[in-house]
Amino acid sequence: AARPPAASKWVRLNVGGTYFVSTRQTLCREPKSFLCRLCCQDGPELGSDKDETGAYLIDRDPTYFGPILNYLRHGKLIINKELAEEGVLEEAEFYNIASLVRLVKERIRDNENRTSQGPVKHVYRVLQCQEEELTQMVSTMSDGWKFEQLISIGSSYNYGNEDQAEFLCVVSRELNNSTNGIVKEPSEKAKVGQ
């Protein structure tokens, strides 16, 4: 049966006893999400229950549904201070919103880094290399090292050959908290003491 136009645009959701109202367009922003399947396909395969007001019943925690719905509305992740990111992550995974799952995981990781480390320490290294070694060096840079700056220091003159430009390459790395600001390298002392 065709729905009247007004009813087809707006959707009522009853999430764990709390009502949310949104548009089909918002709920279908992520085509693979549970919400899109629920409202846009409204097919028998989900067998979605509705309450007496015609709202879709979803047996999930409404507290964490707000950030999910807002993300679909404007594409930003906004979580109130008192909400646990893990709770939002759980819901993002339940509703199958992949881009949001990624965002929340990044946010959790950033917070863990911030709280456990205090100020982040950086280690810098300066490497000298010639022009043709540059791409190889940047591509083989080991995990965790970030390319910061390239300083040209002129060229070394090779008579007969074309000039080779020389560069100083500055790379940096964040120290993670497990090393407490010490870059662990086996020291001579440790071997002697054994």
Side-chain angles (χ1 to χ4, degrees), residues 59-106:
D59 182 20
R60 300 296 289 184
D61 187 341
T63 324
Y64 294 106
F65 187 64
I68 304 279
L69 191 51
N70 282 331
Y71 172 76
L72 290 174
R73 284 172 174 148
H74 50 53
K76 294 194 186 80
L77 171 59
I78 297 167
I79 302 179
N80 293 345
K81 293 260 185 297
E82 64 277 6
L83 284 189
E85 272 110 354
E86 286 75 8
V88 179
L89 177 61
E90 187 62 41
E91 297 309 288
E93 285 176 339
F94 170 78
Y95 292 112
N96 193 24
I97 303 171
S99 54
L100 181 55
V101 169
R102 256 200 317 279
L103 270 177
V104 184
K105 282 184 173 164
E106 274 168 27

Side-chain angles (χ1 to χ4, degrees), residues 161-182:
N161 294 346
E162 65 278 23
D163 296 346
Q164 273 297 328
E166 296 249 339
F167 292 95
L168 289 181
C169 183
V170 183
V171 296
S172 78
R173 167 176 201 158
E174 290 186 5
L175 281 186
N176 65 13
N177 54 330
S178 62
T179 57
N180 292 325
I182 302 155

Side-chain angles (χ1 to χ4, degrees), residues 125 127 136-147 171-174:
R125 280 192 178 165
L127 313 162
Q136 188 194 350
M137 196 183 70
V138 172
S139 64
T140 57
M141 218 159 14
S142 60
D143 258 10
W145 287 97
K146 268 214 312 280
F147 185 76
V171 296
S172 78
R173 167 176 201 158
E174 290 186 5

Side-chain angles (χ1 to χ4, degrees), residues 10-29:
W10 289 95
V11 180
R12 277 167 70 81
L13 302 168
N14 178 345
V15 183
T18 303
Y19 285 101
F20 292 88
V21 177
S22 185
T23 63
R24 266 172 214 287
Q25 189 191 356
T26 295
L27 296 170
C28 294
R29 196 138 288 159

